[in-house]
Amino acid sequence: MPGLTGYDSVRFLAGTPELSRPIMYHPSGMGSFTNAGLNGLSHSVMYAIYPRLMGADISIYPSFGGRYGFSKELCIQVAEDCRDPNGPFKPILPSPGGGMKLELAPLLREMYGPDAVFLFGGGAMRYKDQIASGIRELKTALTSG
């Protein structure tokens, strides 16, 4: 969460070989950086270029269909920019999230393809004590069809 701990915290973790774990970039506290209009950073810079620059392996970002008003096209562009093999930084996995619902899983799978990490944190919590069955439902929704 570089919005809370600073950008260099991601770079530090990514550059620490002893950790040997995937580094997820979470945009908590950074929503105002991409305000629409003529001000702010582009979504691709915020959610694809910066995480790649810092050495993250996965970039979480608000997706279409959740509680944020991002368009499908914008979200697909961010995913493509995360995976772009060109340039000096390694490609990373996009991780759309932000209020995702199980009902959207087939559409999200179609939009983002198999090389994505789907974040259904709050959506999974609606299952409460039956969370294991909710995760099985989600897995089925993401892999069938």
Side-chain angles (χ1 to χ4, degrees), residues 97-132:
M100 299 289 90
K101 298 174 187 71
L102 177 70
E103 298 77 31
L104 288 173
L107 172 61
L108 295 173
R109 183 191 68 232
E110 180 183 322
M111 277 178 59
Y112 293 110
D115 293 327
V117 177
F118 295 101
L119 185 60
F120 283 84
M125 297 307 291
R126 75 178 187 182
Y127 289 92
K128 300 185 182 306
D129 293 340
Q130 302 298 316
I131 198 163

Side-chain angles (χ1 to χ4, degrees), residues 102 123-124 126-127 130-141:
L102 177 70
R126 75 178 187 182
Y127 289 92
Q130 302 298 316
I131 198 163
S133 92
I135 291 170
R136 282 191 294 276
E137 253 185 86
L138 176 59
K139 182 179 177 184
T140 299

Side-chain angles (χ1 to χ4, degrees), residues 13-23 57:
L13 292 171
T16 305
E18 299 81 25
L19 293 178
S20 187
R21 299 285 184 262
I23 305 297
D57 300 294

Side-chain angles (χ1 to χ4, degrees), residues 24-48:
M24 294 181 82
Y25 172 99
H26 189 289
S28 185
M30 300 188 315
S32 64
F33 290 15
T34 57
N35 273 345
L38 300 176
N39 299 311
L41 299 169
S42 80
H43 289 79
S44 284
V45 167
M46 190 77 229
Y47 304 120

